[in-house]
Amino acid sequence: MTGGGTADGTVGKALAVLDQVAAFGRPVRFGELLAASPFPKATLYRFVQTLTSQGMLAFDPERQTYAPGLRLVRLAHAAWEQSALAPIARDHLDALSAELGETVHLAQLDNAQVLYVDKRNAAKPVEMFSQAGKVGPAYCTGVGKAMLAFLPDAELAPILDQQSYHAFTPHTLTSAAQLRTDLEETRARGYALDREEHEPGIICVALPILSQTGRVLGALSVTSTTTRMSLAELEGHAPLIGQAAGRIAAEAETWRFPDATGPRLQHETRA
């Protein structure tokens, strides 16, 4: 078989191997990869060797383990600097975190999931799922629902079909119908709520970051715990979160997120 499809398939398989290595969250032996891989041993070995020679994986000869390579770090840093909201939102996250003393998240949609692109820990940090660079579900997180609620229906419908609707807690919405109702309420309210839907004891208020024409650029949230405050108390911070989201959106207009109908301006390099 020849043509672009074969090349795309090969690249896709190699990226799947990278994803698999990264998912372990630690250096991993080839045997461990093979046990969880859909590829035959020879195929997997070829991908691993190619990725290692290209610097995408790093091999430790003493431990006989593989880990994400430094080339990935360089690529990730370039993507963060050029494509993510994180660089322009940095100061706004710092200010919001300092004022409220709670955990602040910045997120964007990535293939129907939530990508946490930046985070500020609370004054008294609490262990939770989210970390910068981590991918999470959209249907049961505050930032996810804040973004979904403001998507055009043509974009929203296929994303809803891709959600797993796994019940992480007794409060998780477990169907597209339930989620649609919640998203309608979110849109009317102007902000999304996480009522312990992803993690027990974790509550959140999130607002979308929207362009001037209403295009979803990302979401900003403040997260706390039920032992610290009630959800109603956390909702009281919605105006401050909204102000920060608006400032981020205003800067994003001249960064890398202008609307398709507007000029594509390049943000000046910061000193």
Side-chain angles (χ1 to χ4, degrees):
M1 184 176 178
T2 60
T6 302
D8 291 345
T10 301
V11 172
K13 291 174 183 177
L15 291 175
V17 174
L18 278 178
D19 284 340
Q20 185 186 4
V21 173
F24 274 86
R26 58 171 175 79
V28 58
R29 290 178 174 272
F30 181 81
E32 293 177 285
L33 286 175
L34 182 61
S37 175
F39 305 126
K41 181 177 181 179
T43 301
L44 179 63
Y45 184 78
R46 184 172 68 252
F47 281 133
V48 167
Q49 292 303 302
T50 300
L51 291 167
T52 301
S53 69
Q54 293 297 317
M56 306 297 277
L57 290 179
F59 178 66
D60 184 334
E62 291 186 8
R63 296 184 175 86
Q64 295 288 298
T65 56
Y66 295 90
L70 288 178
R71 187 174 181 181
L72 276 181
V73 175
R74 292 194 297 271
L75 290 171
H77 180 72
W80 188 85
E81 286 289 346
Q82 298 176 38
S83 302
L85 281 171
I88 55 173
R90 182 189 298 120
D91 293 344
H92 304 296
L93 266 65
D94 289 341
L96 189 61
S97 177
E99 183 167 3
L100 299 181
E102 298 291 344
T103 302
V104 177
H105 292 111
L106 177 71
Q108 293 175 252
L109 280 176
D110 180 24
N111 293 323
Q113 294 180 297
V114 166
L115 173 64
Y116 293 96
V117 295
D118 211 349
K119 177 181 180 179
R120 297 293 180 275
N121 285 317
K124 295 181 179 179
V126 176
E127 185 175 348
M128 60 183 73
F129 169 85
S130 59
Q131 296 294 336
K134 203 164 188 177
V135 173
Y139 68 96
C140 59
T141 54
V143 286
K145 293 195 293 180
M147 291 185 282
L148 295 182
F150 289 84
L151 290 176
D153 196 64
E155 294 179 30
L156 176 62
I159 291 177
L160 295 187
D161 289 340
Q162 295 178 62
Q163 303 305 305
S164 66
Y165 300 108
H166 169 75
F168 289 96
T169 77
H171 305 284
T172 307
L173 303 177
T174 55
S175 72
Q178 288 180 318
L179 180 57
R180 274 194 177 275
T181 298
D182 189 284
L183 296 180
E184 290 172 5
E185 295 171 354
T186 294
R187 192 178 184 96
R189 188 193 304 121
Y191 57 85
L193 300 174
D194 178 350
R195 306 175 179 89
E196 301 182 71
E197 295 165 44
H198 189 211
E199 298 177 87
I202 302 296
I203 54 177
C204 167
V205 174
L207 278 88
I209 299 171
L210 304 173
S211 72
Q212 291 180 357
T213 60
R215 186 160 62 91
V216 175
L217 306 179
L220 183 65
S221 73
V222 171
T223 301
S224 190
T225 67
T226 53
T227 58
R228 281 186 183 169
M229 64 176 66
S230 68
L231 185 60
E233 290 173 314
L234 190 59
E235 283 186 77
H237 297 317
L240 283 176
I241 305 169
Q243 291 167 20
R247 289 190 288 269
I248 294 170
E251 289 195 32
E253 291 291 334
T254 56
W255 180 260
R256 308 243 342 155
F257 303 94
D259 291 295
T261 55
R264 294 199 61 84
L265 301 178
Q266 184 69 32
H267 192 83
E268 294 179 359
T269 303
R270 293 186 174 183

